Amino acid sequence: MSSTEPSVPASNVLPKVSPVRVEEGERLRSVGLPGITLTVRSRPPEEEGAPPALYVHGLGGSSQNWSALMSRLAGDLDSEALDLPGFGDSPPPDDGDYSVTGHARAVIRYLDAAGRGPVHLFGNSLGGAITTRVAAVRPDLVRTLTLVSPALPEIRVQRSAVPTGLLAVPGVAALFTRITRDWTAEQRVRGVTELCYGDPAQVTPDGFRAAVEEMERRLRLPYFWDAMTRSARGIVNAYTLGGQHGLWRQAERVLAPTLLVYGGRDQLVSYRMAARADRAFRDSRLLTLPDAGHVAMMEYPDTVAGAFRELLADVRERETAGDVVPSAAPHADDRVSASGSGG
């Protein structure tokens, strides 16, 4: 770690902050793994024997981003959602690795330890890049893949996405923190809502108040901006990788049936990338929502849930007929593993 990087206190000396929000019917637990501690939000299925699912949030998000979709799919799935290291209620990773590969390794470690795979894997934004990498390098862990506005490399980045990308530049986060030190949590949440929602008016007063409480909680965490900055840098670095570790190349290697969800009003991931993604993933279907923004699973959970059920029904039919491509063993050259290192 460079001496110019901000230091992060060890997880065992982090300050106590208010508890995170847990919706009715959800459970929250902490899972200790080598080098990381993950908070896992779960919603037990309505019937025993439901297939397992895992949800991975995006930059600045948390497992709470999936609560609405998890509740809609309680009759279909045994759902768990992770707080990635340094986000939500999970402390920073011991090694300070916030790269896409580092986050993917955390997901793989959890799935290997839990023994729940193969799972129906969901990812949004940064989580979409992470789960794409997981599905490519560990197909044995993934039954289906659902990507909501995945952060896959774009040649022409939208202007509205530039400020987020600038967080990756050394010193920008510190400058932004000084400029915005007088901003209230309400102002910050309003800005995030306007950036991420196609129609910010869809956020209910109760939902807005809950988001403000969560923002106030996060701002008291000493590693909040460090996690944001390093993860943003991880996305930028992943965009520059070529060869077999490039995200588009890995998308082409995904064997799992894939549902792609894109919003027409997304200010962070361009709507025009939907067609390219549909071509890249070999077994894909595309759901486009013209009025949705960056978090369609929060704006239109019923629609996204319905599209997933169609995917699930198709997969079950193909499995019954013996037509689904069997999960392959991990590729010998892949460097994302439970204990290895990667780019």
Side-chain angles (χ1 to χ4, degrees), residues 155-205:
I155 296 176
R156 291 183 299 157
V157 178
Q158 298 184 98
R159 289 183 179 179
S160 50
V162 170
T164 301
L166 285 175
L167 282 176
V169 178
V172 169
L175 176 62
F176 182 76
T177 301
R178 288 197 298 272
I179 293 174
T180 64
R181 64 176 177 268
D182 294 328
W183 289 13
T184 65
E186 289 86 350
Q187 288 174 308
R188 295 174 190 274
V189 169
R190 191 167 291 110
V192 170
T193 301
E194 291 174 354
L195 181 64
C196 291
Y197 276 73
D199 179 10
Q202 290 197 52
V203 180
T204 65

Side-chain angles (χ1 to χ4, degrees), residues 60-175:
S62 75
S63 58
Q64 295 181 65
N65 293 22
W66 297 104
S67 289
L69 185 60
M70 288 167 64
S71 69
R72 266 61 169 194
L73 293 175
D76 306 276
L77 299 173
D78 182 356
S79 293
E80 293 186 341
L82 293 180
D83 284 335
L84 290 169
F87 292 92
D89 208 33
S90 293
D94 289 354
D95 61 4
D97 185 357
Y98 289 102
S99 67
V100 171
T101 295
H103 284 312
R105 189 181 305 120
V107 173
I108 290 171
R109 282 177 180 169
Y110 176 71
L111 287 174
D112 278 338
R116 300 179 79 237
V119 299
H120 295 286
L121 189 60
F122 294 73
N124 168 235
S125 191
L126 167 62
I130 293 166
T131 53
T132 294
R133 183 152 290 175
V134 172
V137 305
R138 289 293 304 273
D140 57 307
L141 294 177
V142 183
R143 188 177 179 192
T144 68
L145 181 64
T146 297
L147 303 176
V148 181
S149 296
L152 299 174
E154 300 182 37
I155 296 176
R156 291 183 299 157
V157 178
Q158 298 184 98
R159 289 183 179 179
S160 50
V162 170
T164 301
L166 285 175
L167 282 176
V169 178
V172 169
L175 176 62

Side-chain angles (χ1 to χ4, degrees):
M1 183 183 299
S2 169
S3 60
T4 61
E5 298 288 359
S7 60
V8 177
S11 59
N12 62 347
V13 296
L14 291 176
K16 299 295 183 182
V17 296
S18 58
V20 298
R21 185 183 182 93
V22 182
E23 300 293 341
E24 183 177 356
E26 293 182 344
R27 301 170 183 169
L28 212 62
R29 73 182 193 279
S30 180
V31 178
L33 297 169
I36 53 173
T37 299
L38 299 175
T39 296
V40 180
R41 181 182 303 267
S42 62
R43 178 173 284 275
E46 294 176 359
E47 297 183 5
E48 290 187 10
L54 186 71
Y55 304 75
V56 183
H57 63 79
L59 181 67
S62 75
S63 58
Q64 295 181 65
N65 293 22
W66 297 104
S67 289
L69 185 60
M70 288 167 64
S71 69
R72 266 61 169 194
L73 293 175
D76 306 276
L77 299 173
D78 182 356
S79 293
E80 293 186 341
L82 293 180
D83 284 335
L84 290 169
F87 292 92
D89 208 33
S90 293
D94 289 354
D95 61 4
D97 185 357
Y98 289 102
S99 67
V100 171
T101 295
H103 284 312
R105 189 181 305 120
V107 173
I108 290 171
R109 282 177 180 169
Y110 176 71
L111 287 174
D112 278 338
R116 300 179 79 237
V119 299
H120 295 286
L121 189 60
F122 294 73
N124 168 235
S125 191
L126 167 62
I130 293 166
T131 53
T132 294
R133 183 152 290 175
V134 172
V137 305
R138 289 293 304 273
D140 57 307
L141 294 177
V142 183
R143 188 177 179 192
T144 68
L145 181 64
T146 297
L147 303 176
V148 181
S149 296
L152 299 174
E154 300 182 37
I155 296 176
R156 291 183 299 157
V157 178
Q158 298 184 98
R159 289 183 179 179
S160 50
V162 170
T164 301
L166 285 175
L167 282 176
V169 178
V172 169
L175 176 62
F176 182 76
T177 301
R178 288 197 298 272
I179 293 174
T180 64
R181 64 176 177 268
D182 294 328
W183 289 13
T184 65
E186 289 86 350
Q187 288 174 308
R188 295 174 190 274
V189 169
R190 191 167 291 110
V192 170
T193 301
E194 291 174 354
L195 181 64
C196 291
Y197 276 73
D199 179 10
Q202 290 197 52
V203 180
T204 65
D206 284 345
F208 185 81
R209 282 193 295 271
V212 170
E213 291 174 3
E214 174 62 12
M215 178 63 71
E216 291 173 340
R217 187 191 72 85
R218 293 186 188 186
L219 290 171
R220 287 194 289 270
L221 296 171
Y223 55 82
F224 173 75
W225 283 113
D226 186 59
M228 286 284 291
T229 301
R230 292 177 186 267
S231 292
R233 191 175 303 157
I235 297 174
V236 173
N237 290 341
Y239 278 21
T240 65
L241 285 178
Q244 67 177 355
H245 298 296
L247 285 170
W248 284 114
R249 179 70 63 83
Q250 293 194 319
E252 293 170 354
R253 288 171 45 194
V254 171
L255 300 178
T258 302
L259 170 63
L260 301 164
V261 183
Y262 281 81
R265 295 182 179 178
D266 195 331
Q267 299 182 65
L268 294 170
V269 170
S270 175
Y271 189 68
R272 65 176 177 266
M273 301 305 294
R276 179 175 181 181
D278 196 29
R279 293 192 301 268
F281 290 88
R282 65 177 73 187
D283 185 1
S284 66
R285 60 182 63 199
L286 177 62
L287 171 64
T288 56
L289 300 172
D291 294 327
H294 192 59
V295 288
M297 75 285 187
M298 299 173 72
E299 291 186 88
Y300 297 95
D302 291 315
T303 304
V304 175
F308 173 77
R309 289 193 192 98
E310 292 178 3
L311 172 67
L312 182 59
D314 182 56
V315 167
R316 286 172 172 167
E317 182 178 341
R318 291 161 60 185
E319 288 177 340
T320 300
D323 294 336
V324 173
V325 177
S327 294
H331 193 281
D333 293 331
D334 287 324
R335 299 181 183 177
V336 180
S337 65
S339 58
S341 62

